[in-house]
Amino acid sequence: MRTSLSVLCAAFLASMYFRSYFGVVGPLVSDDLALSPVEFGWLASAFFGSFALLQIPVGIAFDRWGVRWPMASMMVMGAAGSALIASSSGFWSAFAGQVAIGIGCARIFMGILYYLGRHHSPDTAARLAATVSSVGSVGALISASPLSFFTAEWGWRAACWTASATMLACALSIAASLRRAPSARSALRTTERGTWRLPKLLYLVPICFTLSLGGTFRNAWAGPYLTSVFGHGTNVGTVLTAVSVFGIATSFALPFALLRWRGRTIVTATYIVGLLSALLLAFMPGFSILFASAGLALLYAMGNVHPVAMTEAQALLPYRMRGIGLGALNTLVFLGVSASSSVFGVLAYLPLSADVTCGLVFGATAMALTIALAVYVACRPKAIEAQGGRDRVGLKATLSRRRKMKAPAPSRNTSGEGEPIFNSMQRMACRKAVRAAQSSELRF
């Protein structure tokens, strides 16, 4: 399992690198290929467009074929996309390369969640997913100053070739290291036999929609906010670096927090802290640069609970629908980024002072977080209770069916009650597996 976890960490690190590498490589590509601003915009959005559109198809593929081969094959396509950009001579070849990279990265994070969820209990899967996410987040740092240094020394084409080779190595490691998903045990298949309804999962929709609000500020709106309120002399790069470092540090702390507290407690506490930060920034957007940096860092760190929320959703989904369910929820995360950026743009266009405009932007953020937190706290217990009731009924039915199964032929070595020892041990193992499955599925 350690080998698989290391391979998953490397794959997610590559994905995080490609999510943000274009901020450094993009302007160099644009200058070298003489792209217009419109072409540059299309090139910048191609990765995220293909990434978002493939989330549900990727989930369907996982449900049908498992994780290993679909994930490895599409990562090979991502490596080919990076190589295509490295050898591109015009807009269309670079655009095709960006689309291919988005396709290659689309399966990585969801594949990690799906794979860990199939091999571990919800608590363990959440902790391991948080570990992979924290290690992978270093990829965002590699795509900043280290990538700038690399491109200054050897050029952007060499950087793309190197990234292509790294992605290909990760794909081959995935194909060689990941185990086949285990066949669902009878005790864990009970959720498929029961009645499952989509509304039981709807309480997570607002959470997924608002998970990346802090990332929206970090990637797009922190710069305009800081320069308009504190002046154009503000060192935005230093602030954003500090925000990124804080986000990575908290992501490394998350697996240890999951050892002490349950996932729902961490999600609730994180949203409360984010909501308070947004409210304080809404009422005092120009209080101080240190105050603004701390608020932005806390909002950005909210995105670290993404794997925890997805693992919670996976525990509620039947096996046959886990891939498509995770794909739909993951699509909402990207839609949330798009929608929030659009709303912030409308608010920023209003003829108001900088302080008032930024206050409205943070106020809208606080409102969205309030709705998500209220729905999560109010509706989650009912959804979990309903799912848990169906699981308990299904587990009892499974145990009853096993008791009615024909016992094996008696052996010479019997227990004091005249019952074959092998049959007795089999029953004890069955009961233990059922109790373990029940506690692991319902504890999260």
Side-chain angles (χ1 to χ4, degrees):
M1 183 59 201
R2 290 182 179 178
T3 302
S4 299
L5 196 64
S6 300
V7 168
L8 293 175
C9 288
F12 190 59
L13 189 147
S15 177
M16 291 299 293
Y17 166 85
F18 279 115
R19 291 189 194 190
S20 51
Y21 90 111
F22 201 73
V24 173
V25 171
L28 302 177
V29 175
S30 180
D31 292 340
D32 200 9
L33 302 183
L35 302 180
S36 68
V38 174
E39 290 175 329
F40 179 80
W42 279 104
L43 205 60
S45 62
F47 171 89
F48 292 99
S50 60
F51 192 104
L53 289 175
L54 277 174
Q55 292 304 302
I56 293 178
V58 161
I60 295 173
F62 285 161
D63 287 331
R64 180 158 187 170
W65 295 296
V67 172
R68 181 171 58 173
W69 294 115
M71 188 172 173
S73 61
M74 293 189 73
M75 287 181 68
V76 171
M77 186 176 295
S82 185
L84 184 59
I85 292 180
S87 58
S88 62
S89 57
F91 166 74
W92 287 109
S93 57
F95 181 82
Q98 280 286 87
V99 170
I101 293 175
I103 294 173
C105 294
R107 293 200 177 207
I108 294 178
F109 183 65
M110 225 175 70
I112 291 169
L113 294 176
Y114 193 94
Y115 181 80
L116 295 176
R118 289 298 302 269
H119 286 271
H120 301 280
S121 68
D123 284 338
T124 304
R127 189 167 62 252
L128 292 176
T131 301
V132 173
S133 179
S134 60
V135 175
S137 62
V138 177
L141 283 182
I142 295 176
S143 65
S145 298
L147 181 58
S148 298
F149 174 79
F150 190 97
T151 54
E153 290 292 324
W154 293 286
W156 65 270
R157 293 184 185 272
C160 290
W161 280 118
T162 304
S164 174
T166 303
M167 184 70 126
L168 180 60
C170 290
L172 296 177
S173 300
I174 289 290
S177 302
L178 294 194
R179 293 180 290 159
R180 290 178 60 88
S183 58
R185 293 172 296 182
S186 298
L188 296 179
R189 280 182 174 176
T190 54
T191 54
E192 294 190 28
R193 296 189 179 101
T195 302
W196 184 85
R197 293 185 176 89
L198 179 62
K200 301 302 181 184
L201 202 62
L202 291 181
Y203 76 100
L204 280 172
V205 169
I207 290 290
C208 293
F209 202 75
T210 55
L211 268 174
S212 293
L213 280 180
T216 304
F217 286 106
R218 162 64 179 81
N219 297 329
W221 290 95
Y225 159 57
L226 294 172
T227 54
S228 63
V229 174
F230 299 101
H232 289 279
T234 305
N235 193 338
V236 176
T238 301
V239 174
L240 294 183
T241 300
V243 169
S244 299
V245 170
F246 180 80
I248 292 174
T250 51
S251 70
F252 275 99
L254 182 59
F256 299 99
L258 285 167
L259 291 173
R260 184 177 180 86
W261 297 289
R262 294 187 175 185
R264 65 171 179 266
T265 303
I266 292 176
V267 172
T268 303
T270 300
Y271 264 72
I272 291 174
V273 172
L275 173 59
L276 293 176
S277 301
L279 286 174
L280 290 174
L281 289 173
F283 286 105
M284 298 180 292
F287 184 75
S288 71
I289 187 66
L290 184 61
F291 178 82
S293 301
L296 291 172
L298 291 172
L299 286 171
Y300 178 64
M302 288 181 59
N304 290 330
V305 300
H306 187 181
V308 181
M310 289 297 178
T311 306
E312 180 175 333
Q314 192 167 201
L316 289 172
L317 287 164
Y319 274 102
R320 66 181 184 276
M321 296 183 63
R322 283 191 172 183
I324 189 172
L326 290 177
L329 291 176
N330 216 27
T331 302
L332 288 175
V333 177
F334 290 94
L335 290 178
V337 173
S338 177
S340 60
S341 293
S342 300
V343 172
F344 294 165
V346 172
L347 294 176
Y349 190 72
L350 296 176
L352 302 171
S353 64
D355 284 359
V356 175
T357 299
C358 293
L360 287 176
V361 168
F362 287 114
T365 302
M367 182 181 299
L369 295 179
T370 301
I371 295 172
L373 181 61
V375 172
Y376 183 78
V377 172
C379 300
R380 183 190 188 280
K382 296 179 181 178
I384 298 296
E385 182 180 356
Q387 183 71 19
R390 288 196 304 277
D391 289 346
R392 284 190 291 271
V393 171
L395 288 168
K396 290 179 180 179
T398 299
L399 184 56
S400 176
R401 283 193 299 272
R402 291 198 174 191
R403 284 173 176 170
K404 293 178 180 179
M405 290 174 63
K406 183 178 179 181
S411 62
R412 294 180 181 179
N413 193 6
T414 59
S415 64
E417 301 295 330
E419 182 184 26
I421 289 178
F422 177 74
N423 188 40
S424 176
M425 293 175 62
Q426 202 174 31
R427 290 187 180 183
M428 290 175 61
C430 174
R431 293 191 185 100
K432 186 181 293 186
V434 169
R435 287 195 296 269
Q438 181 179 10
S439 62
S440 65
E441 287 290 314
L442 301 180
R443 182 176 178 271
F444 197 88

